[in-house]
Amino acid sequence: MTSRGRKRVLTPLVTGSVILVLVFAGIMGLVEKGPPNPALPGGASPLNPGNLGISDFFNALKNKYPLTKAVTSLADLDFGGSDGRCVYIVISPEAVFTLEDSIAVFRKLLECSEPALLVASEYDTGLSTLARPSGAIYGRVEDGLPYITAVFTLKAKTVNLTLDIASSIVVSEPPFIPYDIRPVPGWRSETFVILTLEAEITESKVLGYANNIIDLNTGGRYERVDVATLTLAKIKLPDGRVRSYREVVVSDGSIFLNQVLRSKEGGKYFEVVMSLVDELCGGERDCRIVVDSSKYPVIDSETLLSRSDLTLRLFMQDWYFSAALLIPKLLHPSTWFIPALSTTGDWFEAAMRDQVTGTLIALATLLLLNLFFESKMPSAKDERLGEVLEKEEYATSTIREAVVKGKYSFTRQDFIRLYEIVNTYFRELVGVSMESREALTFLARYVGREEAEEYLNSMNRLRDKALGRRRLPLIISWHRLVEKKIRESEKILNKLGASMADEKGFEYLEMRRV
């Protein structure tokens, strides 16, 4: 016996086979469940982590203003309360806001006691704002690069930013704030009237501007273009309540994009975009902010894979966005496992049609299997069993206690010792060894032929296995096997009028537990 503790010893072959079966079952389960179809909104959505999204700006807002959230449908628009400041943010929407959309936004926004709106886009978004861009300018500052350099003044600090496209912002006169659509009494059912709110602009302030702009398309020159404004107004609701309304409009949404905020100069852009929000929230941490994500197309991996032109265009524009959609789909087993099996089967079938190729494949397979089993199965030198004359085994109280408490674990060497001791008894009592045919005839007289044959065959096969003469049977635990064979052997010897514990005691009996 050894003192390695009472633990089960698993052969590498059994462990490896179980792992392979579990891996295969897991793969088949994933295949049957079907592939994932991840989807992300494109464009400047707060939920787009790609270069053209604004997720970095959105996450920065959540860190500074914990009540920030995104909305994917205007039907779900809710600021979570009417007290304090509320801000609705729209950055370069891919689809325009309809009149009904504007009404939905303002009805919810004006429920707050201090409503505010931030819109950043070089084009008219369709959202009813007090100030709006008048037209896109693809320009540059004189004697400069083909980009516009704008000067932003926020919190008494001036910052120069490079803009992609700019538009001159003008204030609407008179202000137009839609609040409801109602049918006209006495007219046909399809005739409606738009209910607007009375708004008084109290202040208009320029936050950013650019001087001496040359339009690259038209050649026109502009001495000054206002690219960011802050407008304050008083809006009277139908029930007579008055709201103090604040609005920031920026004529280029690119300064909010991830690719800009992640650039080397992203720090100053972060400073400007967060300062624009601070103008509306007043730095109050409980400011409720909703960032629009309802006007951006949702693209899934199925669509991306089915349209190669879209895949190529998106990959060139925003590889991060494309990778986020395609990698989960391509790595899923349902995408490649069945096609791989089909291709392998077709190749194998074609190869087996040729006699020479088929023979070589069969031989190679057998060789690989043989090498595999040779590497996994332990081997031992084939040695002749020596004559064992001593059958008395001594167990001290220390060993006895350790066996009883299970601190020792039987091994293959313990089985060989057990076989030698039992075989010695057979030589003395019967005159033959257990592997001889005469042993079966003699033992059958005492225990019956079936039991005798089963016991002798089992002991001889396990002896060969322990000595490395045969590969089978597979042994999961030598400890349990030796315990079982101790009990069986003692029972057989008792039928012959002998016992392994006759004289001084023997640890294999585990202190008479057999």
Side-chain angles (χ1 to χ4, degrees):
M1 284 185 300
T2 62
S3 58
R4 293 176 297 173
R6 190 183 182 90
K7 63 180 181 180
R8 301 178 182 178
V9 180
L10 300 179
T11 63
L13 177 60
V14 173
T15 303
S17 301
V18 171
I19 291 176
L20 288 175
V21 170
L22 292 176
V23 170
F24 183 79
I27 290 177
M28 292 306 297
L30 290 174
V31 169
E32 185 169 344
K33 186 178 180 181
N37 187 28
L40 287 173
S45 165
L47 305 181
N48 181 4
N51 290 331
L52 301 183
I54 61 167
S55 59
D56 290 1
F57 168 63
F58 179 62
N59 291 330
L61 285 179
K62 289 196 294 183
N63 289 333
K64 188 170 185 178
Y65 300 103
L67 299 181
T68 299
K69 62 182 179 179
V71 62
T72 57
S73 172
L74 293 180
D76 301 325
L77 177 58
D78 183 16
F79 288 92
S82 59
D83 296 335
R85 298 177 184 252
C86 300
V87 181
Y88 191 70
I89 298 177
V90 180
I91 309 296
S92 300
E94 299 283 325
V96 298
F97 285 78
T98 63
L99 178 62
E100 290 78 6
D101 293 336
S102 290
I103 292 174
V105 170
F106 279 101
R107 286 185 71 90
K108 283 293 183 181
L109 185 60
L110 293 175
E111 289 177 0
C112 299
S113 58
E114 297 182 69
L117 180 68
L118 169 60
V119 177
S121 176
E122 54 271 22
Y123 303 103
D124 187 0
T125 63
L127 192 61
S128 298
T129 54
L130 301 181
R132 62 186 61 208
S134 60
I137 300 174
Y138 296 84
R140 64 177 176 85
V141 180
E142 288 185 328
D143 301 325
L145 295 174
Y147 292 102
I148 297 172
T149 300
V151 179
F152 283 79
T153 303
L154 295 161
K155 299 179 180 179
K157 184 177 180 180
T158 300
V159 180
N160 293 335
L161 299 184
T162 300
L163 305 184
D164 182 20
I165 304 172
S167 301
S168 180
I169 298 177
V170 295
V171 177
S172 303
E173 289 290 349
F176 176 75
I177 304 294
Y179 192 75
D180 199 2
I181 299 179
R182 298 176 180 176
V184 178
W187 290 75
R188 296 191 303 269
S189 59
E190 63 269 15
T191 303
F192 297 89
V193 63
I194 301 173
L195 174 64
T196 60
L197 299 178
E198 180 182 340
E200 177 187 358
I201 297 177
T202 58
E203 182 182 351
S204 182
K205 177 181 177 182
V206 176
L207 301 178
Y209 64 92
N211 292 328
N212 302 320
I213 304 300
I214 300 176
D215 193 322
L216 297 178
N217 291 334
T218 64
R221 293 175 177 267
Y222 303 86
E223 290 186 3
R224 177 185 170 107
V225 173
D226 295 335
V227 296
T229 61
L230 169 65
T231 305
L232 308 181
K234 297 289 185 180
I235 298 179
K236 186 176 182 180
L237 300 181
D239 59 4
R241 291 177 299 167
V242 177
R243 297 298 194 208
S244 297
Y245 174 74
R246 302 169 69 87
E247 176 185 285
V248 169
V249 176
V250 183
S251 65
D252 187 3
S254 67
I255 64 174
F256 294 83
L257 300 183
N258 292 334
Q259 66 178 358
V260 174
L261 300 182
R262 295 168 184 171
S263 65
K264 293 181 179 180
E265 297 184 352
K268 64 180 183 180
Y269 286 88
F270 250 123
E271 183 181 1
V272 168
V273 297
M274 293 302 293
S275 296
L276 292 175
V277 178
D278 293 341
E279 286 283 349
L280 302 177
C281 282
E284 297 179 8
R285 187 170 172 80
D286 59 351
C287 181
R288 298 182 178 89
I289 300 176
V290 175
V291 185
D292 183 79
S293 187
S294 67
K295 296 301 179 180
Y296 307 90
V298 177
I299 303 174
D300 57 36
S301 57
E302 293 284 354
T303 303
L304 205 57
L305 288 174
S306 63
R307 293 181 53 187
S308 57
D309 58 330
L310 179 61
T311 303
L312 180 61
R313 179 168 59 84
L314 278 179
F315 189 81
M316 296 297 292
Q317 292 178 347
D318 195 347
W319 68 269
Y320 188 95
F321 178 86
S322 303
L325 291 180
L326 293 179
I327 288 178
K329 175 81 172 181
L330 296 177
L331 291 182
H332 197 276
S334 61
T335 302
W336 53 265
F337 186 69
I338 298 301
L341 285 182
S342 178
T343 302
T344 303
D346 294 342
W347 176 85
F348 188 76
E349 182 180 358
M352 293 301 289
R353 291 196 187 105
D354 183 78
Q355 185 175 3
V356 176
T357 306
T359 303
L360 292 176
I361 292 175
L363 291 175
T365 303
L366 291 175
L367 178 61
L368 290 175
L369 287 175
N370 180 67
L371 293 175
F372 174 76
F373 282 103
E374 287 287 346
S375 64
K376 294 299 181 181
M377 287 293 190
S379 60
K381 184 179 180 181
D382 190 3
E383 296 179 351
R384 181 179 180 275
L385 286 176
E387 186 72 20
V388 180
L389 299 177
E390 180 63 52
K391 65 177 183 292
E392 295 182 7
E393 296 286 343
Y394 296 89
T396 65
S397 60
T398 302
I399 297 177
R400 181 179 295 111
E401 182 182 358
V403 171
V404 172
K405 291 183 177 180
K407 294 182 179 180
Y408 284 167
S409 179
F410 296 130
T411 66
R412 114 184 18 241
Q413 295 301 322
D414 294 312
F415 179 81
I416 294 175
R417 293 173 62 195
L418 173 63
Y419 185 92
E420 292 172 352
I421 293 172
V422 177
N423 200 30
T424 299
Y425 277 105
F426 265 76
R427 288 175 185 272
E428 291 185 356
L429 299 173
V430 184
V432 294
S433 63
M434 285 196 295
E435 64 264 26
S436 65
R437 295 182 180 180
E438 291 80 4
L440 174 60
T441 303
F442 183 84
L443 184 59
R445 299 175 187 173
Y446 294 88
V447 299
R449 184 173 184 83
E450 182 178 353
E451 184 178 349
E453 185 176 11
E454 181 181 355
Y455 174 75
L456 291 174
N457 287 341
S458 173
M459 291 292 287
N460 289 323
R461 284 198 308 270
L462 291 172
R463 187 272 311 267
D464 292 342
K465 169 70 176 180
L467 294 174
R469 295 176 181 174
R470 59 191 306 155
R471 305 300 183 190
L472 299 175
L474 295 176
I475 306 301
I476 301 299
S477 172
W478 279 103
H479 180 83
R480 289 192 173 183
L481 178 64
V482 172
E483 282 186 328
K484 178 182 177 183
K485 291 305 175 184
I486 289 173
R487 292 190 290 270
E488 292 179 1
S489 298
E490 181 68 10
K491 180 180 177 182
I492 293 294
L493 291 177
N494 289 341
K495 294 289 182 67
L496 298 177
S499 171
M500 287 186 288
D502 271 347
E503 301 185 24
K504 302 276 180 93
F506 179 61
E507 66 264 34
Y508 279 132
L509 298 184
E510 295 188 275
M511 311 328 299
R512 296 194 176 279
R513 287 199 297 166
V514 297

